[in-house]
Amino acid sequence: MIYELRIYTILPGRIDAIRERFSAHTLDIFARLGMQVCDFWEDLEAEPKLYYTMKYESMEERTRQWEIFSQDKEWNEVKQRSELDGKIVERIEQIFMKRAEYFNL
């Protein structure tokens, strides 16, 4: 099992737009496509950042899921509509992780 931490740095004044896009569309599209989000956070210090983790069986599965997502008609329509007033995301960082063998929940 691998986990991906995704960190989105949001452009100034666009945090509400990314909140709307995720809450009204993106999370549902992920679910429809079988993409598993483990958790989701916003920066406590009021920085315009979002953080979320996703879980995959393998890196190959991760690559396949994101390719399908990037070509999804609904996603592309949502992205285009949500960016009519300008881009939302300045930068996306990705960190790939595995659970430490010595940690038990």
Side-chain angles (χ1 to χ4, degrees):
M1 195 67 59
I2 64 168
Y3 296 84
E4 179 181 11
L5 170 62
R6 296 178 64 87
I7 304 168
Y8 287 52
T9 301
I10 310 305
L11 289 164
R14 301 295 283 155
I15 192 72
D16 287 338
I18 195 72
R19 286 174 177 149
E20 166 68 18
R21 189 163 78 185
F22 268 102
S23 66
H25 304 285
T26 309
L27 293 173
D28 289 337
I29 296 169
F30 284 168
R32 176 173 52 79
L33 297 176
M35 300 173 76
Q36 188 173 356
V37 177
C38 301
D39 214 336
F40 212 100
W41 304 271
E42 292 187 12
D43 199 291
L44 186 61
E45 301 296 321
E47 292 290 322
K49 287 189 177 187
L50 299 178
Y51 308 82
Y52 66 99
T53 54
M54 298 188 79
K55 180 169 130 177
Y56 314 98
E57 291 295 324
S58 65
M59 190 60 90
E60 292 78 20
E61 178 193 13
R62 184 253 176 224
T63 299
R64 181 186 58 77
Q65 286 184 347
W66 280 98
E67 285 175 1
I68 291 169
F69 175 77
S70 70
Q71 297 171 14
D72 185 78
K73 182 180 178 184
E74 181 184 2
W75 161 245
N76 283 291
E77 289 172 359
V78 164
K79 185 176 188 298
Q80 184 178 23
R81 279 195 318 268
S82 67
E83 293 183 346
L84 289 175
D85 294 331
K87 289 184 64 83
I88 296 173
V89 178
E90 179 181 331
R91 180 176 70 249
I92 299 173
E93 299 170 66
Q94 300 157 282
I95 300 169
F96 298 98
M97 306 171 290
K98 66 178 183 170
R99 185 166 308 279
E101 293 177 14
Y102 50 85
F103 180 75
N104 291 317
L105 291 175

